[in-house]
């Protein structure tokens, strides 16, 4: 299994062999790679494009692609102490982002910024993949934009210590399949960020199965609902999370098999 280097500021041969000759986009690196390869993304990588972005991975469940943000001035090859969470991958205008198409990936330390302006641009995370210390940001202000996970029913996507932020109150997360969001560093939004009226919209989440553990959800407070309920999802479980003191956990259910289970949560912890 090979290792490749990715840095938007590289001006060398573009072979991915080292930082000087790194690929300038993650997509180009994955095109050159194979299932199970490792892609080191520079801490100051700032990839921006004015068109829709699709990252097509080649990894499998047994040999996932590994995408790691690391300090470009650190060890070669990078070690655990070099891990960072500052690389950015951005689309502008009405251009969406689709991640992990076609394969399985482990991704750590990447900030995904989707769209700008008032045009709809959504961010989709597909298939069975794991994200750690990543940020998923809807930068645009279109109410119809959304973050969706696992386009295949039955797939399972993991988000460890990840944050989600939004540009309009009408935006939301639409899970499909299994959605696992694990803290303690995970949270909704950042200081001053827009908080959705409905954090999760289950109307489009066919057979979705959501579990949130140890995440700070307190930014969703009075006038906000965590789950806009419907009869099309299996259920949700919120465990040991910090909740807004006046948040509505769930809207009205239309099927008796649907359940939102809240365990060990509080507004002050």
């Amino acid at each position: 299994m090979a290792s490749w280097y990715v840095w938007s500021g590289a001006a060398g041969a573009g072979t991915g062999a080292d930082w000087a000759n790194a690929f300038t986009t993650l997509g180009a690196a994955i095109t050159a790679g194979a299932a199970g390869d490792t892609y080191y993304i520079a801490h100051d990588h700032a990839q921006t494009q004015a068109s829709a972005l699709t990252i097509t991975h080649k990894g499998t469940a047994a040999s996932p692609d590994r995408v790691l943000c690391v300090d470009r001035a650190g060890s070669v090859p990078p070690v655990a102490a070099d891990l960072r969470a500052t690389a950015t991958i951005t689309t502008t205008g009405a251009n969406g982002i689709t991640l992990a198409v076609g394969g399985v990936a482990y991704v750590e330390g990447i900030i995904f910024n989707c769209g700008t302006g008032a045009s709809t641009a959504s961010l989709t995370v597909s298939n069975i993949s794991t994200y750690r210390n990543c940020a998923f940001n809807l930068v645009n202000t279109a109410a119809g934009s959304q973050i969706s996970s696992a386009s295949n029913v039955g797939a399972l996507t993991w988000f460890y210590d990840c944050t989600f932020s939004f540009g309009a109150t009408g935006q939301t997360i639409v899970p499909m399949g299994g959605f696992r969001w694990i803290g303690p560093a995970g949270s909704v939004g950042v200081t001053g960020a827009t908080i959705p009226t409905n954090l999760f919209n289950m109307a489009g989440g066919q057979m979705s199965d959501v579990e949130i553990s140890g995440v700070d959800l307190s930014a969703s407070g009075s006038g906000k609902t965590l789950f806009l309920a419907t009869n099309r999802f299996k259920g949700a479980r919120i465990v040991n999370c910090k909740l807004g003191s006046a948040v509505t956990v769930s809207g009205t259910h239309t099927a008796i098999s649907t359940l939102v289970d809240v365990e060990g949560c509080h507004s002050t912890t």
Side-chain angles (χ1 to χ4, degrees):
M1 297 180 184
S3 295
W4 307 91
Y5 292 82
V6 182
W7 174 35
S8 57
T15 61
D18 51 36
W19 291 123
N21 298 291
F23 290 107
T24 56
T25 68
L26 177 58
I30 293 173
T31 296
D37 283 358
T38 298
Y39 304 89
Y40 294 119
I41 313 295
H43 71 282
D44 54 351
H45 180 73
Q47 175 182 336
T48 302
Q49 68 178 57
S51 59
L53 172 65
T54 297
I55 302 296
T56 304
H57 284 284
K58 298 177 179 178
T60 66
S63 297
D65 291 352
R66 297 174 71 242
V67 179
L68 307 174
C69 175
V70 298
D71 185 354
R72 187 167 50 85
S75 302
V76 178
V79 297
D82 297 316
L83 290 171
R84 298 292 184 269
T86 54
T88 60
I89 296 178
T90 302
T91 57
T92 60
N95 296 297
I97 299 175
T98 303
L99 305 174
V101 173
V104 180
Y106 173 89
V107 181
E108 182 164 356
I110 311 297
I111 300 168
F112 298 99
N113 299 312
C114 182
T116 55
S119 297
T120 301
S122 295
L123 197 161
T124 302
V125 183
S126 302
N127 292 306
I128 307 169
S129 293
T130 299
Y131 295 83
R132 185 181 295 274
N133 292 330
C134 291
F136 301 88
N137 305 322
L138 292 178
V139 181
N140 66 87
T141 58
S145 298
Q146 63 187 31
I147 298 171
S148 59
S149 72
S151 59
N152 296 324
V153 174
L156 181 61
T157 310
W158 294 85
F159 302 92
Y160 289 95
D161 293 327
C162 291
T163 62
F164 297 85
S165 69
F166 307 85
T169 57
Q171 295 174 355
T172 188
I173 300 172
V174 179
M176 186 179 296
F179 183 104
R180 300 291 183 267
W181 188 8
I182 313 298
S187 66
V188 179
V190 294
T191 302
T194 298
I195 305 302
T197 301
N198 302 292
L199 181 58
F200 287 88
N201 183 349
M202 314 307 286
Q206 296 185 32
M207 299 305 291
S208 53
D209 174 18
V210 176
E211 182 169 331
I212 308 172
S213 179
V215 173
D216 185 354
L217 302 174
S218 61
S220 295
S222 178
K224 308 296 183 181
T225 299
L226 296 183
F227 293 94
L228 179 62
T230 180
N231 64 345
R232 299 180 67 189
F233 79 109
K234 292 180 180 178
R237 185 168 180 253
I238 311 173
V239 182
N240 298 328
C241 291
K242 183 177 181 180
L243 305 182
S245 59
V247 69
T248 298
V249 173
S250 179
T252 302
H253 299 292
T254 56
I256 60 173
S257 61
T258 298
L259 174 68
V260 176
D261 182 23
V262 180
E263 303 175 21
C265 297
H266 203 279
S267 62
T268 59
T269 58

